[in-house]
Amino acid sequence: MGDLVESREWYLAAYCPEGVPTSDHLKLRTVTLSLAVDSIPHNHLAVETLLLSVDPYLRGRITGILEGLFISQYQLNQVITAFAVVRVIRSNDSKYSEGDILLNPNASVAEYSIVPSSQITRKIDTSNGISLSDYLGALGVPGFAAWVGIEVLGDPKPGSNVFISAASGAVGMNAGQLAKIRGCRVIGSTGSDDKVKLIKEEFGYDDGFNYNTESDFDAALSKYFPDGIDVYLDNVGGKMLEAVLNHVNKHARIPLCGMISQYNKVWTEREGVRNLLNMVGKEVRMEGFMLESYWHRFGDFAKDMERYIQEGKVTSKNKINIGIEGFLESLNSLFSSSNIGKVVVQVKA
Amino acid sequence: MGDLVESREWYLAAYCPEGVPTSDHLKLRTVTLSLAVDSIPHNHLAVETLLLSVDPYLRGRITGILEGLFISQYQLNQVITAFAVVRVIRSNDSKYSEGDILLNPNASVAEYSIVPSSQITRKIDTSNGISLSDYLGALGVPGFAAWVGIEVLGDPKPGSNVFISAASGAVGMNAGQLAKIRGCRVIGSTGSDDKVKLIKEEFGYDDGFNYNTESDFDAALSKYFPDGIDVYLDNVGGKMLEAVLNHVNKHARIPLCGMISQYNKVWTEREGVRNLLNMVGKEVRMEGFMLESYWHRFGDFAKDMERYIQEGKVTSKNKINIGIEGFLESLNSLFSSSNIGKVVVQVKA
């Protein structure tokens, strides 16, 4: 590798307050980067990106308004960032060597970059039988979100009735398996009959329904939850959340992981939930969460999850899209019902 | 007093699923009751009702549908019940004597009744300077609700920004004072300029606004909470709750005590809350509660509250309506903006 490389990167050209982001908002450009040894500051690394994690929260970072997810916004004209698996090309930090494979939660969505090694959260042991894409899925953002939602906030007992929306998505597939490990009865909703089949056959859900065909959610929940719902991990918000509130048991818990049905709308256009009064009588606790508040638990999570993966108790379906040029399309796929499992963009093999 | 008495009592003639309950739903009748010694079973008491507590949850008990508050419904043609202060006329229990003044949380809304003494929760010491109506207010249902909402679920720190809706109501007046005792900055919303004056001058609120004149709730909350809201004790639901969710701070807590704006409507007609997504980014916890789950804390509450009352740190405004015949009108007054403080019906002096 020479000292100068051409690096393609995605940058924010314009904020997108509502609707589907397009190439007007996120654009690909090519920059020239020097990887010469004297271009790499002390305790920095030159890395090439192998895999990029594509997650719904990224949509919230390009709205240009803090309202909504209240997460920090990407800056105009700057490269955007994501969770990634990267490989060291040149190291100016004695802790890391060329060829090391690392996890960077704040990586540039670019082919190459120079990063402070303080940003790296772990070196990946590639000999333990866990796939690199699982480090972005079951062991990454969606797996951790599932773990916080089920283990920390939902805290279901053996036999509890657990409902998970977007069940075949990256969070849902992990959450369902974690709830099964706890001995719960687990039902999921998802967007096609094939995906219902998938969550039952691959992820061990007891049952599930297609929200496009069983579109009377109230009737569906009556059918699948004759004994009511104890824990609902909400990934969609809107009408499904409203329907759930008509089926909650006493002291039900509703961790709010995200509301994928609502991200592309300004808030005044969102579906109102009319039956919050039910939360009083049923003493329901509803709680939003962001992973940033739970990083101190990441070690506990990773230890559990690695064991589950190695024991075959948690399996994953990862959709690997090849080529950095497909990043925008991959992001938008999360908000269409075509998506199954964890979406990853493979930048380099 | 002879062995036979005429006793007026309120009974449920018809359920009232929506709208304002009328004399079609709750009716007064006169029954004849024998207070003869041999009519009083062992461990029972013949009592006369002195004061009846009029609380919003009673509205939820006559809807005829469990949906909504999910609280047990009164039975058709049966006398309704409420929290009350009663006086013993004749006792068939050695623990109680004629003239004792007692608290009965499940008293018949009647002039006279015969009750199992197991129903009595305490004998009132009338020499401690606390008024009987305070036992139904600051020391009764609304005071306890305020205490659970602020002390247990809201748990604000000194300097926290606390918002209380229906601030001049029975729960609100106590909640504001409890939050001030904790050293918080406390703002209330209420339905008239006089009531704003009242909560500031009598209950120590730092400030307040009239939701009828400052009807752009979003603008009002921007003005009164430049630093955002840490704890919101919700007594009203609907549009005010929605507006609050645009002003919450990170990790805000919203105990849901009741939603007085919503009780008289069927749920599909209620105002939808469109911005629950804000709960994710701000990691807000919203939690409904019913006092039945906190009875084990009643002793702690009563000890605190009696001391606060005796030290003058908590004062109350109690609206005492004379005569059992006014019970229905008193109940409906809770849902009009005419109400101030705790509403009590005095049956006998």
Side-chain angles (χ1 to χ4, degrees):
Chain A
M1 174 152 310
D3 282 352
L4 289 181
V5 292
E6 303 272 277
S7 176
R8 287 179 297 168
E9 64 179 26
W10 283 93
Y11 72 101
L12 181 67
Y15 288 109
C16 177
E18 60 183 307
V20 176
T22 68
S23 56
D24 288 342
H25 309 104
L26 291 177
K27 286 186 196 295
L28 194 64
R29 68 184 168 199
T30 302
V31 297
T32 302
L33 201 67
S34 170
L35 303 182
V37 172
D38 58 8
S39 306
I40 305 171
H42 187 57
N43 289 333
H44 279 59
L45 310 165
V47 301
E48 57 186 353
T49 305
L50 303 184
L51 296 170
L52 288 162
S53 182
V54 185
D55 297 293
Y57 76 90
L58 301 176
R59 174 67 185 87
R61 301 193 64 179
I62 63 170
T63 57
I65 37 178
L66 265 183
E67 179 277 310
L69 275 177
F70 296 100
I71 59 175
S72 61
Q73 296 295 301
Y74 293 131
Q75 296 303 300
L76 280 176
N77 210 35
Q78 302 296 301
V79 64
I80 64 170
T81 58
F83 222 93
V85 174
V86 301
R87 182 162 52 205
V88 178
I89 303 173
R90 283 177 184 155
S91 172
N92 192 0
D93 182 325
S94 57
K95 292 198 301 292
Y96 299 102
S97 315
E98 194 182 320
D100 280 354
I101 294 183
L102 310 175
L103 212 55
N104 182 356
N106 198 34
S108 291
V109 177
E111 290 177 290
Y112 299 94
S113 53
I114 292 173
V115 299
S117 48
S118 59
Q119 227 168 54
I120 303 303
T121 52
R122 70 187 289 184
K123 194 187 288 194
I124 292 175
D125 171 7
T126 53
S127 70
N128 66 2
I130 297 176
S131 73
L132 287 186
S133 55
D134 274 353
Y135 282 95
L136 299 183
L139 283 165
V141 169
F144 189 37
W147 187 84
V148 172
I150 297 295
E151 299 285 323
V152 181
L153 298 177
D155 195 24
K157 305 288 165 282
S160 285
N161 288 290
V162 175
F163 180 48
I164 296 170
S165 53
S168 65
V171 173
M173 69 178 172
N174 288 296
Q177 294 177 90
L178 289 172
K180 285 309 297 177
I181 289 170
R182 281 201 164 209
C184 304
R185 181 170 168 275
V186 186
I187 309 290
S189 65
T190 183
S192 74
D193 292 345
D194 282 350
K195 291 201 268 187
V196 170
K197 194 161 174 279
L198 178 81
I199 63 173
K200 289 162 69 172
E201 293 180 358
E202 305 239 343
F203 306 135
Y205 275 74
D206 293 288
D207 212 335
F209 65 95
N210 174 352
Y211 61 78
N212 287 308
T213 54
E214 298 197 55
S215 56
D216 179 344
F217 299 160
D218 221 48
L221 294 174
S222 292
K223 176 171 149 194
Y224 293 100
F225 290 99
D227 300 321
I229 296 171
D230 299 302
V231 171
Y232 171 46
L233 181 63
D234 183 24
N235 291 302
V236 302
K239 290 295 165 215
M240 188 66 87
L241 177 55
E242 185 176 86
V244 166
L245 286 172
N246 288 334
H247 295 269
V248 280
N249 288 332
K250 195 82 176 172
H251 294 118
R253 289 166 303 287
I254 304 183
L256 302 178
C257 181
M259 298 188 175
I260 209 157
S261 71
Q262 310 289 299
Y263 287 180
N264 288 342
K265 301 175 188 170
V266 293
W267 77 269
T268 49
E269 298 301 317
R270 292 190 190 128
E271 294 162 346
V273 172
R274 293 165 293 176
N275 55 356
L276 292 173
L277 181 58
N278 295 0
M279 291 180 65
V280 178
K282 291 292 180 81
E283 302 189 82
V284 174
R285 176 187 287 184
M286 187 184 284
E287 185 163 1
F289 68 99
M290 299 286 275
L291 296 184
E292 62 194 33
S293 295
Y294 296 89
W295 283 125
H296 62 289
R297 302 294 307 276
F298 194 88
D300 299 333
F301 151 72
K303 197 165 139 250
D304 281 0
M305 202 56 144
E306 284 192 21
R307 197 180 69 242
Y308 295 149
I309 295 171
Q310 289 172 326
E311 294 173 353
K313 286 183 184 163
V314 168
T315 59
S316 295
K317 201 159 180 79
N318 301 324
K319 174 86 172 69
I320 300 176
N321 297 325
I322 310 289
I324 195 169
E325 63 280 6
F327 187 84
L328 174 60
E329 199 180 331
S330 293
L331 178 59
N332 284 332
S333 76
L334 301 179
F335 300 93
S336 75
S337 61
S338 69
N339 175 47
I340 294 178
K342 171 61 190 167
V343 176
V344 166
V345 167
Q346 182 179 305
V347 180
K348 236 185 204 87
Chain B
M1 173 152 312
D3 281 350
L4 289 181
V5 292
E6 303 272 276
S7 175
R8 285 179 298 167
E9 64 180 24
W10 283 92
Y11 71 101
L12 182 66
Y15 288 110
C16 177
E18 59 184 307
V20 176
T22 67
S23 56
D24 288 342
H25 308 104
L26 291 177
K27 286 187 196 294
L28 194 63
R29 67 184 168 200
T30 302
V31 297
T32 302
L33 199 69
S34 169
L35 303 182
V37 173
D38 58 8
S39 307
I40 305 171
H42 187 56
N43 289 333
H44 280 59
L45 310 165
V47 302
E48 57 187 350
T49 305
L50 303 184
L51 294 171
L52 288 161
S53 181
V54 185
D55 297 293
Y57 76 90
L58 300 176
R59 174 67 186 86
R61 300 194 66 179
I62 63 170
T63 57
I65 39 179
L66 264 183
E67 180 278 311
L69 274 178
F70 297 100
I71 57 174
S72 61
Q73 296 296 302
Y74 293 131
Q75 297 303 301
L76 281 176
N77 210 34
Q78 303 295 301
V79 64
I80 64 171
T81 58
F83 223 93
V85 174
V86 301
R87 182 164 50 205
V88 178
I89 303 173
R90 283 179 184 152
S91 171
N92 192 0
D93 181 325
S94 57
K95 292 197 301 294
Y96 298 103
S97 316
E98 194 183 318
D100 280 354
I101 294 184
L102 310 176
L103 212 55
N104 182 358
N106 199 33
S108 292
V109 177
E111 290 178 290
Y112 298 94
S113 53
I114 292 173
V115 299
S117 48
S118 60
Q119 228 169 51
I120 302 304
T121 52
R122 70 185 288 182
K123 194 187 287 194
I124 292 174
D125 171 7
T126 52
S127 69
N128 65 3
I130 297 176
S131 74
L132 285 186
S133 55
D134 274 353
Y135 282 95
L136 299 183
L139 284 165
V141 169
F144 190 37
W147 187 85
V148 172
I150 296 295
E151 299 285 323
V152 181
L153 299 176
D155 195 23
K157 305 287 164 282
S160 286
N161 288 289
V162 175
F163 180 47
I164 296 170
S165 53
S168 63
V171 173
M173 69 178 172
N174 288 296
Q177 294 177 89
L178 289 171
K180 284 309 296 177
I181 289 169
R182 280 200 163 211
C184 304
R185 183 172 166 274
V186 186
I187 308 289
S189 65
T190 185
S192 75
D193 292 344
D194 282 349
K195 291 201 267 187
V196 169
K197 194 161 173 279
L198 178 80
I199 63 174
K200 290 162 70 173
E201 293 181 358
E202 305 240 342
F203 306 135
Y205 276 74
D206 294 288
D207 212 335
F209 65 95
N210 173 352
Y211 61 78
N212 287 309
T213 53
E214 298 198 53
S215 56
D216 179 344
F217 299 161
D218 221 48
L221 294 174
S222 292
K223 175 171 149 194
Y224 293 100
F225 290 99
D227 299 322
I229 296 170
D230 298 302
V231 171
Y232 170 45
L233 181 63
D234 183 23
N235 291 302
V236 302
K239 290 295 165 215
M240 188 66 87
L241 177 56
E242 185 175 85
V244 166
L245 285 172
N246 288 334
H247 295 270
V248 279
N249 287 332
K250 195 83 175 171
H251 294 118
R253 290 165 303 287
I254 304 183
L256 303 177
C257 182
M259 297 188 174
I260 209 157
S261 71
Q262 310 290 299
Y263 287 178
N264 288 342
K265 301 175 187 171
V266 293
W267 78 270
T268 49
E269 299 301 316
R270 291 188 190 130
E271 294 163 343
V273 173
R274 292 165 294 175
N275 54 354
L276 292 173
L277 181 58
N278 295 0
M279 291 180 64
V280 178
K282 291 294 180 80
E283 304 190 79
V284 174
R285 176 185 289 183
M286 186 185 285
E287 185 163 359
F289 67 99
M290 299 284 277
L291 296 184
E292 61 194 32
S293 294
Y294 296 89
W295 283 127
H296 62 289
R297 303 293 307 277
F298 193 88
D300 298 334
F301 151 72
K303 197 164 140 252
D304 281 359
M305 203 55 144
E306 284 192 19
R307 198 181 68 244
Y308 296 147
I309 295 171
Q310 288 171 326
E311 293 172 354
K313 287 182 181 162
V314 168
T315 59
S316 295
K317 202 162 179 76
N318 301 324
K319 174 84 171 68
I320 300 176
N321 297 324
I322 309 290
I324 195 168
E325 64 280 5
F327 187 83
L328 173 60
E329 199 181 330
S330 292
L331 178 60
N332 285 333
S333 77
L334 301 179
F335 300 94
S336 75
S337 62
S338 69
N339 175 45
I340 294 176
K342 171 61 189 167
V343 176
V344 166
V345 167
Q346 181 179 307
V347 180
K348 239 186 201 88

